[in-house]
Amino acid sequence: MKKTPPTIAVKELAIGYKSAVIAAHINFDLNAGGLCAIVGVNGIGKSTLLRTLGKVQPKLSGTIKINGKELSSYKTLALASQISVVLTEPIASKNLTVLELIALGRLPYTNWLGTLTQQDKRQIENCLQQLDLKDLQHKKCHELSDGQLQRVLIARAMAQDTPLILLDEPTTHLDLYHKVQILKLLKQLAKTYQKTVLFTTHEIDLAIQLCDKILILDGIENPFGQPCELIESGSFEQLFPADMIIFDALTGSFKVKK
């Protein structure tokens, strides 16, 4: 029986701008149903990596394969049925309603008039229910809280119905309760719908507790694996200066050195 390729496979990837390499020697692969975080200090290249994986900007070298096919070989419309991307940039128009914004996720599948079929409408309805947005569907996006808007953007990505979902800092500006809510929601969506969800975050403690895999961008080896494996290998201890912040392997958390 033919083996199913990983949803995303990355080998010896180098990222950056023109000839300026931000990070190199990035290697990992992810299968369906998994939640993975990209962590690292500020400026290490987390957002650049995510944008490169989403073909928002070009890679410098190495390979990126989506379902066994080289990323660069995908045409725009075909790629839109493989990857959905939620970036930190403000949405184009917050004057759209929640329902209208989520419906934009169906654009890769509609005809040239953008007409929604019954299947499209069912998909949108399902996303409204899954992300608890039914009561907000007719509200304008500018009327929403940060947490509500983040749920809407995730719903749009889910409506796009792609195997791979990329999110840049999905918990930024949220309080602890809503950070946990969003990450648990992403984990549930990955498991229930067999999506591959990859996101950047500064919430390393939460990622350790909730993620199946973690990629640590450290500018050297960029270790990748299950949180328990990375803890055992001491990979998290290299993230911050040891004289200020220490990693407690027993609790899987960082502590300020007093």
Side-chain angles (χ1 to χ4, degrees):
M1 194 165 79
K2 191 175 180 181
K3 190 178 178 182
T4 304
T7 307
I8 181 168
V10 174
K11 289 189 178 178
E12 284 302 302
L13 180 66
I15 59 172
Y17 299 88
K18 294 185 179 178
S19 60
V21 178
I22 292 178
H25 307 300
I26 300 170
N27 297 276
F28 69 93
D29 59 72
L30 296 169
N31 295 310
L35 178 68
C36 177
I38 302 169
V39 304
V41 298
N42 282 344
I44 200 70
K46 298 187 298 295
S47 294
T48 303
L49 173 57
L50 199 82
R51 292 168 65 88
T52 304
L53 298 177
K55 208 181 175 183
V56 178
Q57 69 182 72
K59 67 184 181 184
L60 298 185
S61 63
T63 62
I64 304 169
K65 289 187 177 180
I66 306 297
N67 288 315
K69 185 177 174 182
E70 182 64 43
L71 177 66
S72 59
S73 68
Y74 279 95
K75 302 281 192 213
T76 302
L77 192 59
L79 188 63
S81 66
Q82 296 294 316
I83 304 176
S84 50
V85 183
V86 180
L87 298 176
T88 53
E89 285 89 345
I91 59 175
S93 175
K94 285 195 174 183
N95 208 38
L96 293 173
T97 65
V98 167
L99 184 62
E100 288 167 341
L101 185 59
I102 295 172
L104 290 177
R106 299 304 300 166
L107 280 179
Y109 311 102
T110 58
N111 59 29
W112 64 276
L113 288 172
T115 306
L116 296 173
T117 64
Q118 286 305 311
Q119 181 184 346
D120 293 323
K121 291 175 182 177
R122 281 195 298 271
Q123 181 77 15
I124 294 165
E125 179 70 18
N126 186 44
C127 291
L128 285 166
Q129 290 181 341
Q130 286 296 319
L131 284 107
D132 195 22
L133 294 168
K134 285 281 289 182
D135 293 341
L136 299 175
Q137 62 181 310
H138 300 302
K139 270 200 166 190
K140 300 284 189 181
C141 288
H142 66 75
E143 299 175 305
L144 305 179
S145 69
D146 288 337
Q148 289 170 334
L149 182 58
Q150 196 60 51
R151 293 211 320 272
V152 173
L153 293 173
I154 293 170
R156 183 186 65 181
M158 283 300 296
Q160 201 171 326
D161 197 21
T162 59
L164 178 61
I165 301 174
L166 306 176
L167 305 103
D168 194 13
E169 296 285 353
T171 58
T172 301
H173 307 309
L174 302 183
D175 59 36
L176 180 60
Y177 171 79
H178 288 97
K179 289 179 194 291
V180 173
Q181 182 189 48
I182 289 294
L183 294 184
K184 287 186 74 173
L185 174 64
L186 291 175
K187 187 176 181 72
Q188 178 189 344
L189 292 175
K191 299 294 181 198
T192 303
Y193 296 99
Q194 287 298 290
K195 304 295 184 184
T196 302
V197 180
L198 178 61
F199 67 101
T200 64
T201 186
H202 287 100
E203 314 298 335
I204 302 175
D205 293 10
L206 293 179
I208 287 171
Q209 294 178 66
L210 293 170
C211 289
D212 302 296
K213 298 283 182 70
I214 294 179
L215 172 66
I216 301 176
L217 282 189
D218 63 4
I220 307 168
E221 295 180 350
N222 305 311
F224 168 74
Q226 296 177 2
C228 58
E229 296 171 342
L230 295 172
I231 289 172
E232 288 171 5
S233 65
S235 298
F236 290 106
E237 293 165 21
Q238 312 305 318
L239 279 177
F240 302 104
D243 62 342
M244 189 175 295
I245 300 172
I246 55 173
F247 181 74
D248 185 341
L250 290 175
T251 61
S253 62
F254 291 89
K255 295 183 179 179
V256 176
K257 195 168 186 179
K258 296 178 180 177

